[in-house]
Amino acid sequence: MNHSTIFESPFGKLKLFSNGKELTRILLPSQLPESDADFSDNADPILQQACDELNSYFAGTRKEFEIAIAPEKGTEFQRQVWTELSRIPVGTTITYSELAIRVGRPSAVRAVGAANGRNEIPIIVPCHRVIGANGSLTGFAGGLELKRQLLEHEEIHTSNRTSGVHRPGNKE
């Protein structure tokens, strides 16, 4: 059975989906249809856990998510990319080429970028932490402004403010 709820983030409403056992999808504010903006199913414990973890993430007290996830779609390669995304620590960014190397496909930068763009569970699977080779913000389903806001939020709330952090405009 599918469940969904609306989560009020500091950057707008998110719509969370659950199959009753795992979190399956998150829609970002720019993806959320107006007609869905107010519906909430607060009975599902997975959605409640997701909201609790997102609240602590946005409060700056959570560095890792523990909720069980199960994206509804995705090839084996896309899922491999998403698993690697989940290993990027809060307050840190990597480039698409670094991500390609981490998944063992150094020449597949475009395929990695495409897989990153198909991530169904943004924020929790932190695709916003991947940036262009020149440090620029590129390709985020929620828009580049939201990507910038998420990265700034993480930079403010992490004790690792300089080590390992690529900033937009800086060379690697």
Side-chain angles (χ1 to χ4, degrees):
M1 180 174 190
N2 290 323
H3 305 273
S4 65
T5 194
I6 299 297
F7 175 81
E8 294 279 349
S9 85
F11 308 117
K13 293 179 181 181
L14 307 175
K15 187 167 184 182
L16 314 178
F17 296 85
S18 157
N19 62 13
K21 297 177 184 174
E22 301 104 352
L23 187 68
T24 58
R25 190 169 181 210
I26 295 178
L27 291 179
L28 298 168
S30 64
Q31 300 169 316
L32 186 61
E34 285 293 321
S35 61
D36 286 353
D38 295 319
F39 174 76
S40 288
D41 174 358
N42 295 321
D44 181 51
I46 294 297
L47 293 176
Q48 187 57 54
Q49 180 184 355
C51 289
D52 291 346
E53 290 188 19
L54 284 166
N55 274 324
S56 60
Y57 165 79
F58 285 116
T61 58
R62 177 171 293 278
K63 304 297 184 221
E64 295 180 13
F65 291 96
E66 298 171 8
I67 190 157
I69 61 170
E72 294 176 334
K73 300 175 185 171
T75 66
E76 183 178 324
F77 175 72
Q78 289 168 337
R79 290 174 185 269
Q80 183 182 8
V81 170
W82 301 336
T83 297
E84 196 58 44
L85 288 172
S86 296
R87 295 184 177 125
I88 305 169
V90 170
T92 302
T93 59
I94 66 170
T95 65
Y96 291 95
S97 59
E98 288 175 86
L99 183 56
I101 291 167
R102 288 182 183 195
V103 298
R105 304 265 308 268
S107 62
V109 175
R110 286 191 178 160
V112 163
N116 195 52
R118 289 188 178 92
N119 174 22
E120 294 186 312
I121 309 176
I123 302 173
I124 290 176
V125 177
C127 53
H128 63 279
R129 296 181 190 150
V130 184
I131 60 174
N134 66 355
S136 63
L137 300 185
T138 60
F140 184 61
L144 295 183
E145 179 60 18
L146 179 56
K147 184 172 187 165
R148 183 190 61 74
Q149 290 172 329
L150 289 168
L151 292 173
E152 286 178 357
H153 163 77
E154 291 182 358
E155 186 175 354
I156 290 167
H157 292 290
T158 184
S159 60
N160 186 15
R161 292 189 185 170
T162 56
S163 177
V165 177
H166 294 109
R167 289 191 174 69
N170 291 347
K171 298 287 183 193
E172 295 183 317

